[in-house]
Amino acid sequence: MLHIGFDVVVPVLSQLPNPAPAPPPGADKITEVAGYFKWGSQIALLVGFFAGLAVWAGGRWVDHHRAGKVGVVMMLCGVSGGLLYAVGYPLINELAGGGR
């Protein structure tokens, strides 16, 4: 009985047109807000890197080894964050099948 239902329903459903995707209302505002967050994260990464550079240089200047290590960690976090920022979206997009 169920097999007969599929034989009737599938040809009818296959005749329906496949509409093109359309953005939802307000999508332009959402992408604008996302752009602000991206801009802010870029600035935060740069500030974190250069603050780490200043802490590292200051720690080396006054021979304070812990400050030097903290500065190196801050710079590594800035560089790692920049790499994740640059590689993250294309990688997630490829894994999710968006590149096909």
Side-chain angles (χ1 to χ4, degrees), residues 19-89:
D28 54 340
K29 293 295 182 186
I30 294 171
T31 55
E32 185 178 343
V33 170
Y36 292 151
F37 278 114
K38 286 176 67 175
W39 180 82
S41 64
Q42 290 174 352
I43 297 299
L45 287 170
L46 283 173
V47 167
F49 176 80
F50 285 114
L53 182 64
V55 169
W56 174 76
R60 301 302 276 167
W61 184 34
V62 296
D63 199 27
H64 194 278
H65 298 290
R66 183 177 293 169
K69 289 179 185 179
V70 168
V72 169
V73 169
M74 288 174 67
M75 287 189 295
L76 288 174
C77 286
V79 170
S80 301
L83 286 173
L84 287 175
Y85 181 85
V87 175
Y89 178 75

Side-chain angles (χ1 to χ4, degrees), residues 83-100:
L83 286 173
L84 287 175
Y85 181 85
V87 175
Y89 178 75
L91 181 66
I92 291 171
N93 195 26
E94 184 64 32
L95 291 176
R100 295 184 182 112

